[in-house]
Each structure stands twice: as C-alpha cells, then as structure tokens.
C-alpha cells in the first residue's frame, strides 16, 4: 500500500510529506500566475498559426489547380489552333499544287501550240522553197532541152523570148 494512506506520510518530519506539500504549493502558484492559461494561449496561438498556414496552403493549392486548369485549357486551345493552321496550310499547299499544275499545263499547251505553228510555217516555207526550186530546175531543164533542139535549127526570136519567160511564169 502506498505511503500516502498510511500515517507516517502525514508526519511533519517525513521528507516525502514536504516534497508533496512543495509540489502542491508549486502547482498552486502556477495556477495563480495563470501559467496553464498562458500555455493554452500559446498552444492556441500556435494552433491558429498552423491553421492559417494550412488555410494559406489550401488557398495556394486551389490557385495552383485553377492555374493548371487554365493552362491545360490554353494548351488545348493552342493545339486546336495549331491543328487548324496545319490543316489550312495543307489545304493551301494542295491548292497551290493544283494551281501550279494548271499553270504548267497551260504553259505547256501554249508552247506546244507555238511549236506547232512554227512547224506549220516551216512546212509552208519548205514547200514554197521546194516548189520554187523545182520550178527553177524545170525551167532550166526545159530551157536546156529547147536550146539543144533549136541549136540545130534556125533561131526564132519569139521562141527565145518564150523560153526566157518560162522561169518567171512557173514561180
């Protein structure tokens, strides 16, 4: 059994009694000076500070989440704009390709028509030159044949004039 319930604890000569009495007086002084209230106030202050820090952290987290949502929305919008720009660029490229092909075909057709006209002109000129050369050759040949036949015969001025005009009439 503890010494508190026995009579020897309550004896004034007992050291344990004076230690217990000093402890009670000490606690009494602490209560009178409001040390428990000061400790509670200090703990309440620390709790309030911790709570304010937690509130600030929650506010910052909410702001960060809102900013993250905004950034994700901006990213999605930017990606959509990039996709639109890419599609527009591809459409422009296809349109430019079609236009370039059309211009190329048009240019080739013009060049082909020009070449065909030049060829036709060259053919006409060549035919004319061949006809001229053939007429000259025929006139000279006829002149030589007639001259050879008439060399043995007497010269006729009308026949000589007709032979001289053959070259001009065949042209």
């Amino acid at each position: 059994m503890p010494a508190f319930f026995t009579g020897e604890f309550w004896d004034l000569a007992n050291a344990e009694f004076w230690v217990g009495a000093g402890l009670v007086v000490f606690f009494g002084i602490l209560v009178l000076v409001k040390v428990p209230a000061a400790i509670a106030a200090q703990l309440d202050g620390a709790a309030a500070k911790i709570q304010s820090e937690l509130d600030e952290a929650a506010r910052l987290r909410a702001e960060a989440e809102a900013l993250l949502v905004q950034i994700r929305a901006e990213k999605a919008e930017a990606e959509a704009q990039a996709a639109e720009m890419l599609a527009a660029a591809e459409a422009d490229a296809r349109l430019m390709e079609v236009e370039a092909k059309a211009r190329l075909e048009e240019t080739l057709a013009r060049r082909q028509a020009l070449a065909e006209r030049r060829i036709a002109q060259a053919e006409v000129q060549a035919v004319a030159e061949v006809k001229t050369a053939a007429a000259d050759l025929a006139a000279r040949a006829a002149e030589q044949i007639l001259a050879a036949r008439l060399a043995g015969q007497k010269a006729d001025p009308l026949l000589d004039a007709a032979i001289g005009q053959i070259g001009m009439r065949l042209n």
Side-chain angles (χ1 to χ4, degrees):
M1 202 173 221
F4 180 71
F5 294 112
T6 62
E8 37 181 88
F9 177 75
W10 298 105
D11 186 13
L12 293 178
N14 188 356
E16 291 176 356
F17 171 75
W18 290 111
V19 168
L23 188 60
V24 169
V25 170
F26 175 72
F27 283 135
I29 292 172
L30 288 179
V31 170
L32 283 177
V33 213
K34 299 184 181 181
V35 170
I39 291 174
Q42 197 172 21
L43 289 176
D44 287 344
K49 182 180 177 186
I50 290 172
Q51 186 61 42
S52 71
E53 289 175 358
L54 287 174
D55 292 342
E56 179 68 16
R59 184 186 65 79
L60 290 174
R61 180 178 179 165
E63 286 179 8
E65 288 174 350
L67 187 60
L68 179 64
V69 168
Q70 180 183 358
I71 289 172
R72 284 184 179 161
E74 289 174 357
K75 178 186 174 196
E77 182 180 336
E79 287 175 350
Q81 286 179 351
E84 288 175 10
M85 290 172 68
L86 181 62
E90 288 175 350
D92 287 345
R94 284 191 296 272
L95 181 63
M96 291 171 117
E97 180 183 4
V98 168
E99 289 175 356
K101 282 182 181 179
R103 283 194 307 265
L104 178 63
E105 289 174 5
E106 180 182 318
T107 303
L108 290 175
R110 277 196 317 257
R111 287 187 180 175
Q112 183 177 1
L114 179 63
E116 288 173 358
R117 279 196 308 266
R118 286 183 180 170
I119 290 171
Q121 287 175 353
E123 285 177 357
V124 168
Q125 186 178 2
V127 167
E129 288 175 0
V130 168
K131 282 182 182 179
T132 303
D136 287 342
L137 184 62
R140 275 189 255 130
E143 187 178 340
Q144 288 175 357
I145 291 172
L146 288 174
R149 280 188 186 171
L150 293 177
Q153 298 178 358
K154 187 173 170 192
D156 186 10
L158 288 176
L159 187 58
D160 290 339
I163 290 173
Q165 291 177 0
I166 287 178
M168 294 187 333
R169 290 191 182 186
L170 289 177
N171 287 331

